[in-house]
Each structure stands twice: as structure tokens, then as C-alpha cells.
Amino acid sequence: MNEMVRAAGVNKVFGTFAALKDVSLAVSRGEVTCIIGPSGSGKSTFLRCINQLERPDSGAIVIDGELIGYRRAQQHLLELADKEIARQRLMTGMVFQRFNLFAHLTALQNVMLGPIKVQGRPRREVEKEAVTLLERVGLADKRFNYPSELSGGQQQRVAIARALAIQPKLLLFDEPTSALDPELVGEVLNVMRDLARSGMTMIVVTHELAFAREVADHVVFMDQGAIVERGAPGAILVDPQHPRTQNFIKAVLK
């Protein structure tokens, strides 16, 4: 099966606010899908549903053939126990806007934490892999530095290495450059380009339209909790058909 992710009819409501409205999306193995749209359009909520940080009110999400959050029992769906949800969550690595590194741990310790604490893997094996991951993101020489001693771009690259450390099937990026100074954006995007070229399956929420046009296999435009338009980068970013997509891209490119 070539599909890594399938979301079908996903809805999420917070109080009276409909954050997601019947969102359906398929992402094939090895593909990069970029999700664009204005703030509050449901992009981050959708990623959080995929990673089970939020539970959809209806609909289904399947990752690598496995229904997440539930198990089928004859004609019924039963919620999974926390232990099973934690196991499923290891299928996805998530990179947030604000890095979310532990301030009291070095870069190396931050990368090692998940494989040791969550997966129970041997420390010596994990440390060797963590150094390799920090080399991959260009930070092997910073492995003993604490987050406060790193720039925002360096912290985000450590966060990417940390997400990779659990050997996920899928990487989720939630506007990974939005908290960075402009001169630091490029170093993070370069790491993401490398990941895309390596065949990692990625869903990226971003305002970096040039990056989306370069690396995405598909671009999705969301507004008011719904998918408004989707297609190849050249179609969505250069010649969008829906007025809402057109207005958004004009505003971003001003």
C-alpha cells in the first residue's frame, strides 16, 4: 500500500467554534504535502489530530494502514488506552513553532530523550544515532550546548533531529520557521529540503510559499476549517482557481 496517511471527514469543534470541517486528505509514502492558509484556518489543529494531541469529534485518520485513536470491535469503534495511543504517536515526529526543547538538557540529551525514555532503547546505541542526527542537521559541534546557548535556527534544527530520533514514518511540521528571525529561516528550510530529497513523508504547515513550490508534491489551501483548494504546487501557488486562495497568495506575496 502506497498511502501513508488518509484522513476522512475529520471534524473538530472547540465549544461553538468549528476548527475542522469535514477535512479529507491522502498523502502517499515519500510525498511532501504543504498546507497553507490564514491564521485560524485549522492547519495546526489538523496536524494535532494526526499526532493525537487532539481527538477529532468525528471522522477517521489512518497512518500506514492503522486506524489511530480507536480499534474496531465488530460494528463499533472503541477508544484506545493511553499506552496504545503513545505507541501510535511514535509513528509521527512533530516539529513545533516554538522548538519545545528542554532548557535543562543539552542538544544531545534533548535528541536522546525520546528513544531512551519512551522507546526504552539502550543509551549507547541511542547516543551514537543522536550524534549522527545532529551531524545531519549541521550541529554536531553544538551537541553539548544548552538551548539558551543556541540561536533560534539552531534550536529548531535540534528539534528536527529530536523528531527524527524516534525513527518516525511521518514528519509533521507546524510552521517551523514562523518564530525565527528572517536570516535564520534558510538554515531550517535547507534541512527540510534534505529530508524531502531523502524520501521522508512530510506534512508541512507553512507560509514559505517559495519553499512549498520547490519541495511539495501537493499543496493544500485551508480556510475557516475546510480544504478550499488542492493540487500541484504550480497550479495552487501560480494559478489558483478559488478567489479565497487567490486573495491569500496575493496578500502573502505583497
Side-chain angles (χ1 to χ4, degrees):
M1 186 182 72
N2 197 40
E3 236 173 44
M4 179 61 75
V5 184
R6 175 168 288 277
V10 174
N11 291 276
K12 180 65 183 177
V13 177
F14 297 102
T16 59
F17 174 67
L20 295 175
K21 305 172 186 174
D22 197 30
V23 173
S24 295
L25 180 69
V27 179
S28 294
R29 199 178 308 274
E31 283 191 342
V32 178
T33 294
C34 286
I35 303 177
I36 62 172
S39 297
S41 60
K43 307 182 303 295
S44 296
T45 299
F46 182 53
L47 290 194
R48 290 174 67 84
C49 287
I50 294 173
N51 200 36
Q52 300 197 70
L53 296 173
E54 300 285 356
R55 185 181 290 276
D57 293 308
S58 61
I61 299 173
V62 175
I63 298 177
D64 198 24
E66 185 173 347
L67 178 67
I68 65 167
Y70 299 89
R71 63 180 175 86
R72 292 184 176 90
Q74 296 178 343
Q75 301 301 314
H76 303 285
L77 290 178
L78 302 178
E79 292 186 8
L80 292 180
D82 290 345
K83 184 178 180 180
E84 277 298 293
I85 288 175
R87 178 192 63 78
Q88 287 188 336
R89 196 174 281 141
L90 292 174
M91 291 193 287
T92 63
M94 190 155 179
V95 180
F96 299 88
Q97 296 179 34
R98 291 285 175 180
F99 325 137
N100 289 5
L101 299 178
F102 290 102
H104 65 290
L105 300 180
T106 65
L108 182 63
Q109 290 169 333
N110 266 283
V111 175
M112 292 172 60
L113 189 63
I116 290 174
K117 293 291 187 182
V118 181
Q119 295 176 312
R121 296 174 57 204
R123 176 176 292 273
R124 183 174 295 181
E125 173 187 301
V126 168
E127 183 172 358
K128 183 177 179 181
E129 291 179 7
V131 171
T132 299
L133 287 171
L134 287 170
E135 287 175 351
R136 184 173 183 180
V137 300
L139 290 174
D141 60 329
K142 301 289 186 182
R143 60 186 179 275
F144 300 122
N145 289 59
Y146 290 90
S148 62
E149 300 170 324
L150 302 174
S151 71
Q154 290 170 335
Q155 289 184 62
Q156 193 62 295
R157 285 187 280 156
V158 172
I160 293 172
R162 179 183 60 184
L164 289 167
I166 60 171
Q167 301 174 348
K169 298 178 179 181
L170 168 70
L171 272 185
L172 307 173
F173 291 87
D174 188 7
E175 299 194 26
T177 60
S178 65
L180 300 179
D181 293 331
E183 66 269 20
L184 302 177
V185 169
E187 63 189 59
V188 174
L189 294 182
N190 283 338
V191 171
M192 295 172 65
R193 287 186 184 96
D194 176 67
L195 290 171
R197 285 192 292 265
S198 75
M200 174 64 71
T201 309
M202 298 160 56
I203 302 178
V204 184
V205 170
T206 184
H207 286 296
E208 302 289 341
L209 300 190
F211 170 79
R213 187 175 180 185
E214 178 187 350
V215 305
D217 296 287
H218 302 283
V219 173
V220 174
F221 174 70
M222 290 184 68
D223 191 24
Q224 297 181 3
I227 293 178
V228 175
E229 192 169 357
R230 69 184 87 197
I236 302 300
L237 300 175
V238 179
D239 188 27
Q241 300 302 301
H242 199 287
R244 278 193 280 177
T245 317
Q246 295 168 357
N247 292 337
F248 173 79
I249 290 174
K250 284 178 186 175
V252 171
L253 295 179
K254 273 185 181 178

